[in-house]
Amino acid sequence: MNQPGRGERPRWRPTPRLFAYLIGPAALVVILACRHFGLIAREPLWAWLLVFAVIPLVGGAVDVWSRRRPSEVALRLRIVVHVACTATVLYLTGWGSILVVGFAVVALENFSLDGARTWSVTALATLVAVAVGQVLVSQGIAPSLLADRQAQALAAMETFVVLFVIRMSGAMVEETERAEAAVAASEERFRSLVQHSSDTTVVLDADAVVTYASPSVASLLGVTADEVVGRPSSDFLLPEDLDSVQSALDQRSTGHVVTDTLHFRMARADGATRWVEAVVADLRENPAVQGYVANLRDVTERHEAEDRLAHEALHDPLTGLPNRALILDRADRLLASAGRDGRRVAALFVDLDDFKAINDSLGHEAGDVLLRSVAQRFAQVVRGQDTVGRLGGDEFVVLAGGLDSGQEPFELAERLHATLRNPVVVDEGTAALTVTASIGVAVGTRPGAAELLRDADTALYRAKALGKDRTVRFQPRMHAEATELLRLETDLASATPGEDLFLGYLPVLSVDTATTCGVEALLHWRRPGGEVLPPARFVPALERSGRIVEVGRWTLTEACRQASELQARGITASMSVNVSARQLASPTLAEDVRDALAGSELPPELLVLEVAEATLARADPEHVRNLAAAKALGVRVAVDDFGTGFSSLAALNRVVVDALKVDQALFAALAGPQGAPAVVEAIVGLGRALGLDVLAEGDVARAPRRAPEPGAGRADSTEDDGPAGSAELEALLAGARGRPVQPRLLDAAG
């Protein structure tokens, strides 16, 4: 691009605006000449003079106004006025239908003045102007040298061409504007980055002495650029990183192409240390540089964030204890060491008892306070070389290595139990909490961290099943039992109530009358292959899978139907149905009982809901309310397995019950010479004192040899290999009706 020399006046160049002003007089001259030779319509001369006098005045006024007060409205008004003026001239010639292409000139003028944003307004104004002009031509108001049909056809075709030209021209201008804007933005961005870059550029000579430093070195090292220049770079590096930096410079000086960035630490003037990421280029051969160019970036915050992320990836965010990943890594290391020296490694799986109740009653914040307190206490009572970790929720793991005896893990477990006996204050205004824990212990000497933790978890599951606040050591049979439980859950997923799952019955005995007073419905399962399992074998698997609620609903319905059929045959007997922990937690328990009673028309007082004593003792308040809602329907509630739990009286206080059902195991000694155990006598006395019925279980009724078909179980089902229907129950009850059952039981009752 030529620049004017000093003292030279810049050359005059016409502008688009000047062309716009000059085109009017030039057009008038051309039009008058064409009129003289008859090439256009012979309109009065005064009309042409008036048009070319008014149009420049109006157009110029609108143009000046739009420039002085720029707005979107002013811009559109200017375009409309220009198009209208052009249309007036074109249609006054008589060739308006052919000269529609002249509107493209207006569009190009607008593009040159205001850019591509004017194309849509210009196109719309052009379309309206042509439409109005053609209407005036058809009405004979505007002159036309063409036949009407020719004028309309030519106008339509040329309008299409003009609109296409306007749109394409607008698109080209838009593309040009975008490209120019991108270039301008890129240039501005580069200029801004150069002027305000936080990175520091340093030039070093062959001896690693600083010959140049950019101004941003002040924020990096706390000294000005002048204070840095002339000093060896080693003055600002930590001694531990000198060798690595020098090695990188040596590689570049020997001609090796090195593209890796360098990471090292630099010392600030105030003594602080900063992590720096550097890209170094050898430009000693460049006359303008003659040294190494290092672009330095302060990455201290990134390093600190990476350290935090690395810590968080291996530690629990709530307690700061190692998480599962770190626990497994340390367990692998301990087991590898144990394999060499023959010493043992123990994993203690710890789960807080009833932690969910604390969360539900006091809130999750109180639960978090408790978890942090437990974590601190565990860390204080273990040995220095032991590891305490948290796996999530209320589950903790303690790893202990270098053990010489099998008793040491249990001593450690006792210390964990003991430290929990001290109350924990989780919230001001709330009484201090005392929590207990169940602990599973597994001991290993061979590599296999995942297996060691799995075994400890299996032992913990057994500890939970046995009750609270206890420690259980893993035994190989536990793994087989856990595997069998998983296999049961898998098979049960396809078991169908009424087909694979069916009911067997157990007589219920009244201790006071020593007679059979009812039956208990017991769920049985015919596994694939034909084996029939009693409830104790598979109900825990139903509990774990959650299907117990669905199956329990069917059990209620079927048992009530059987009891109703008995009553229809004149035999009135209570029907007892077990309610599991998951059913007790279900908000639909009362609704399920209501539906079963309504569907069978069984009087509510003949239905007895049996809840195991241990289940009732551990039930949440909400679960107790669910049971109370079911009892409000008129059914009776019995505490099953009474005398085998650990909180019998507390269980009785939590819900109003009607009967105590003594566990069958307590009567095992009745057949021996010692007679009834004292505990049975105590339970009978307690029941009488509280006004409760005392019941006992009789011999198990014969289970059907095959599962009942859907719709089976009618009163006339009497075949030996048939389903367990009302006839079988009738025989069971009628056979014992009115005569003592187990006379020694009567003696035990006094």
Side-chain angles (χ1 to χ4, degrees):
M1 182 174 180
N2 296 328
Q3 299 289 340
R6 182 174 299 180
E8 294 183 7
R9 298 180 61 183
R11 294 181 181 179
W12 176 84
R13 292 185 177 182
T15 63
R17 193 180 303 278
L18 179 61
F19 278 118
Y21 288 140
L22 293 178
I23 196 172
L28 178 60
V29 172
V30 172
I31 286 174
L32 292 178
C34 291
R35 179 178 177 277
H36 176 74
F37 291 105
L39 299 179
I40 61 175
R42 287 187 173 275
E43 293 299 313
L45 181 61
W46 63 265
W48 284 109
L49 295 176
L50 179 62
V51 167
F52 276 89
V54 173
I55 287 178
L57 291 176
V58 174
V62 172
D63 187 60
V64 171
W65 176 71
S66 66
R67 300 302 172 185
R68 290 183 176 179
R69 296 186 177 181
S71 66
E72 200 64 26
V73 174
L75 173 64
R76 294 180 180 181
L77 178 60
R78 182 177 63 78
I79 294 173
V80 170
V81 169
H82 286 185
V83 171
C85 293
T86 302
T88 301
V89 174
L90 295 181
Y91 276 91
L92 199 58
T93 65
W95 298 100
S97 301
I98 297 177
L99 298 179
V100 170
V101 70
F103 290 105
V105 177
V106 179
L108 295 177
E109 176 194 359
N110 291 328
F111 293 161
S112 65
L113 295 176
D114 295 291
R117 63 191 179 118
T118 62
W119 80 265
S120 57
V121 179
T122 304
L124 180 60
T126 298
L127 185 62
V128 172
V130 172
V132 171
Q134 291 305 122
V135 169
L136 295 177
V137 168
S138 65
Q139 298 298 319
I141 299 174
S144 177
L145 299 179
L146 300 171
D148 184 62
R149 294 181 62 183
Q150 292 176 331
Q152 300 300 336
L154 288 172
M157 289 187 294
E158 290 208 11
T159 300
F160 174 78
V161 173
V162 167
L163 293 179
F164 178 77
V165 170
I166 292 175
R167 180 64 191 101
M168 294 305 297
S169 300
M172 293 174 62
V173 174
E174 282 180 343
E175 189 66 26
T176 302
E177 289 175 350
R178 281 197 294 267
E180 292 175 349
V183 171
S186 178
E187 292 177 350
E188 180 61 28
R189 184 163 51 249
F190 177 76
R191 187 181 303 109
S192 178
L193 288 174
V194 170
Q195 293 176 353
H196 303 95
S197 175
S198 59
D199 291 355
T200 300
T201 301
V202 176
V203 179
L204 309 176
D205 64 14
D207 297 324
V209 175
V210 179
T211 60
Y212 169 81
S214 62
S216 58
V217 74
S219 62
L220 177 63
L221 299 178
V223 292
T224 65
D226 292 339
E227 294 176 296
V228 173
V229 173
R231 297 175 58 182
S233 59
S234 58
D235 289 354
F236 307 102
L237 297 177
L238 262 63
E240 297 87 348
D241 297 339
L242 277 175
D243 291 341
S244 61
V245 174
Q246 186 60 50
S247 175
L249 293 178
D250 291 343
Q251 291 182 19
R252 285 161 175 77
S253 65
T254 55
H256 290 88
V257 177
V258 181
T259 58
D260 294 339
T261 57
L262 301 179
H263 290 81
F264 51 88
R265 290 163 293 176
M266 301 187 75
R268 283 177 53 89
D270 57 8
T273 299
R274 309 300 294 176
W275 274 98
V276 173
E277 180 182 81
V279 177
V280 182
D282 184 3
L283 299 180
R284 289 176 296 170
E285 302 300 325
N286 189 324
V289 180
Q290 298 181 351
Y292 297 99
V293 177
N295 292 312
L296 311 178
R297 174 172 296 175
D298 189 340
V299 292
T300 304
E301 293 183 358
R302 189 179 75 189
H303 265 266
E304 293 173 350
E306 290 173 351
D307 291 342
R308 285 195 302 271
L309 288 175
H311 183 272
E312 292 171 1
L314 298 175
H315 291 79
D316 170 50
L318 178 64
T319 62
L321 296 178
N323 61 11
R324 178 182 294 274
L326 187 54
I327 284 290
L328 288 172
D329 179 71
R330 293 187 179 178
D332 276 329
R333 295 173 184 271
L334 288 173
L335 289 169
S337 176
R340 292 190 297 268
D341 58 24
R343 307 179 80 181
R344 303 175 182 178
V345 176
L348 284 72
F349 232 96
V350 185
D351 185 271
L352 302 183
D353 297 323
D354 299 326
F355 179 74
K356 182 179 182 298
I358 296 174
N359 267 345
D360 293 343
S361 58
L362 300 180
H364 288 275
E365 291 184 2
D368 290 346
V369 173
L370 176 61
L371 291 174
R372 285 192 290 266
S373 176
V374 170
Q376 293 172 0
R377 294 186 182 189
F378 284 176
Q380 291 171 355
V381 299
V382 301
R383 303 173 305 170
Q385 66 268 36
D386 296 340
T387 298
V388 179
R390 177 175 177 243
L391 301 184
D394 59 339
E395 291 186 340
F396 295 84
V397 170
V398 178
L399 289 178
L403 303 178
D404 295 317
S405 71
Q407 189 60 29
E408 290 178 275
F410 293 93
E411 295 173 354
L412 176 56
E414 180 54 36
R415 293 201 299 274
L416 299 178
H417 283 301
T419 192
L420 293 177
R421 296 188 183 107
N422 297 321
V424 179
V425 177
V426 298
D427 188 13
E428 294 183 5
T430 302
L433 298 177
T434 300
V435 295
T436 59
S438 301
I439 301 177
V441 177
V443 179
T445 57
R446 294 180 298 178
E451 290 77 8
L452 182 66
L453 294 186
R454 180 203 63 195
D455 293 346
D457 190 23
T458 302
L460 171 65
Y461 181 78
R462 178 58 59 88
K464 282 287 187 183
L466 294 176
K468 304 177 182 179
D469 197 18
R470 66 182 63 209
T471 299
V472 172
R473 178 170 180 169
F474 173 78
Q475 302 294 338
R477 60 181 173 79
M478 293 181 184
H479 179 61
E481 292 170 358
T483 303
E484 173 63 14
L485 186 61
L486 179 60
R487 191 177 296 114
L488 287 174
E489 289 183 16
T490 303
D491 292 344
L492 277 169
S494 59
T496 305
E499 297 179 5
D500 309 303
L501 296 169
F502 56 93
L503 297 183
Y505 297 91
L506 186 71
V508 176
L509 314 175
S510 170
V511 172
D512 285 331
T513 62
T515 59
T516 301
C517 61
V519 292
E520 176 184 356
L522 295 177
L523 188 67
H524 289 71
W525 174 36
R526 190 180 301 278
R527 293 186 71 176
E531 180 187 9
V532 176
L533 298 186
R537 288 279 304 278
F538 68 90
V539 167
L542 276 177
E543 284 269 6
R544 280 180 41 138
S545 67
R547 284 200 69 197
I548 190 65
V549 176
E550 167 204 346
V551 175
R553 188 179 298 119
W554 174 85
T555 301
L556 267 172
T557 302
E558 179 65 14
C560 287
R561 185 187 67 79
Q562 292 278 17
S564 180
E565 289 189 2
L566 282 176
Q567 188 183 35
R569 299 180 67 84
I571 300 176
T572 300
S574 65
M575 175 64 71
S576 298
V577 180
N578 290 288
V579 177
S580 71
R582 280 187 178 266
Q583 286 178 278
L584 204 61
S586 172
T588 64
L589 175 62
E591 182 180 348
D592 295 340
V593 173
R594 183 187 298 109
D595 292 344
L597 292 172
S600 63
E601 299 183 353
L602 180 72
E605 61 272 13
L606 293 184
L607 178 61
V608 180
L609 301 181
E610 293 191 3
V611 183
E613 180 188 21
T615 299
L616 191 59
R618 292 196 296 264
D620 293 339
E622 182 64 27
H623 304 167
V624 174
R625 285 193 289 272
N626 293 340
L627 181 60
K631 179 175 170 53
L633 299 174
V635 304
R636 305 174 70 210
V637 174
V639 180
D640 196 12
D641 299 333
F642 193 80
T644 61
F646 55 86
S647 183
S648 305
L649 295 180
L652 295 180
N653 285 331
R654 301 188 72 187
V655 65
V656 178
V657 299
D658 302 287
L660 304 179
K661 190 173 182 184
V662 184
D663 185 74
Q664 196 174 32
L666 294 177
F667 293 95
L670 289 176
Q674 300 299 325
V679 66
V680 176
E681 297 179 0
I683 292 173
V684 173
L686 175 64
R688 289 176 174 173
L690 296 176
L692 304 177
D693 294 336
V694 181
L695 308 175
E697 297 175 350
D699 295 331
V700 178
R702 177 178 58 82
R705 284 193 275 261
R706 62 182 174 86
E709 301 295 335
R714 297 179 53 85
D716 57 357
S717 299
T718 57
E719 297 182 9
D720 289 344
D721 60 349
S726 296
E728 201 168 90
L729 289 177
E730 181 179 350
L732 173 68
L733 291 168
R737 199 167 175 79
R739 63 177 177 80
V741 178
Q742 297 186 3
R744 293 184 62 84
L745 181 61
L746 180 62
D747 296 339

